[in-house]
Amino acid sequence: MRQNTRHILQILDAEKDKLFQYASYRLHDIKDVEDVLQNTYMKTLSNEERLKDIANLRAYFYRMVSNECSDIIRERSRTEALSADAPEISDIACEQPENFEEEFALINRLLNIIPFEQSEIIRFRLHSNLTFQEIADVVEVPLPTVKARFRYGIEKIKTQLKLSML
């Protein structure tokens, strides 16, 4: 195995647990998560020459996983008809989770009511424990934009929860 390949795989292996966790929170399906990570490894190995020019491989891997997750979600939305009786924020706000799975589902429903750009930042921060600077590198936007998206997303969720409780 070449030195460059070894270095690339070491970075990917060091991040695999956080990448898995991030994909799990986005997709909620272990088979899809495994597919995403396998595709990430396969694309990494098949594009090894191109990867040597990338300055921040860690950010690149998060972006790859995020894009793979988005592709799967997009495909799901094409094949699944949206339910007319989707829960309203007021229904979500009244729920009291009794265990981790319920809390996980509640958090994801709340994140789904805000724009993707904001929920993605919140997920990276909460689920992958990335710093704002690391998130900025992953999503390729300026640091102040990342912080603003995080703050606005949290504010929107709080506002919707307060309105639904009135």
Side-chain angles (χ1 to χ4, degrees), residues 9-10 12 25 30 45 47 50 52-53 55 64 70 75 126 128 132-133 143 147 149 151 159 165:
L9 290 176
Q10 283 175 341
L12 189 55
Y25 280 99
I30 192 73
L45 293 174
N47 295 322
R50 192 169 56 100
K52 70 181 180 183
D53 298 328
M64 283 177 70
S70 294
E75 184 60 32
L126 298 179
S128 296
F132 287 122
Q133 183 59 58
L143 179 61
K147 290 179 177 180
R149 287 179 182 174
R151 186 178 75 245
T159 300
M165 292 182 181

Side-chain angles (χ1 to χ4, degrees), residues 61-87:
F61 292 138
Y62 277 96
R63 175 54 44 205
M64 283 177 70
V65 168
S66 179
N67 289 341
E68 289 281 333
C69 290
S70 294
D71 290 345
I72 288 174
I73 292 168
R74 202 173 304 115
E75 184 60 32
R76 282 181 190 166
S77 68
R78 284 186 203 132
T79 57
E80 297 174 0
L82 292 175
S83 171
D85 56 318

Side-chain angles (χ1 to χ4, degrees), residues 107-118:
I107 291 169
N108 279 304
R109 284 194 298 279
L110 290 170
L111 287 172
N112 287 335
I113 66 170
I114 62 175
F116 173 75
E117 293 80 13
Q118 294 169 0

Side-chain angles (χ1 to χ4, degrees), residues 87-90 92-93 106-116 118-119 123 153-161 164:
E88 295 292 325
I89 186 67
S90 58
I92 295 171
L106 174 61
I107 291 169
N108 279 304
R109 284 194 298 279
L110 290 170
L111 287 172
N112 287 335
I113 66 170
I114 62 175
F116 173 75
Q118 294 169 0
S119 66
R123 283 184 171 106
I154 296 295
E155 286 174 4
K156 283 182 182 178
I157 289 172
K158 284 181 181 178
T159 300
Q160 288 297 322
L161 286 171
S164 68

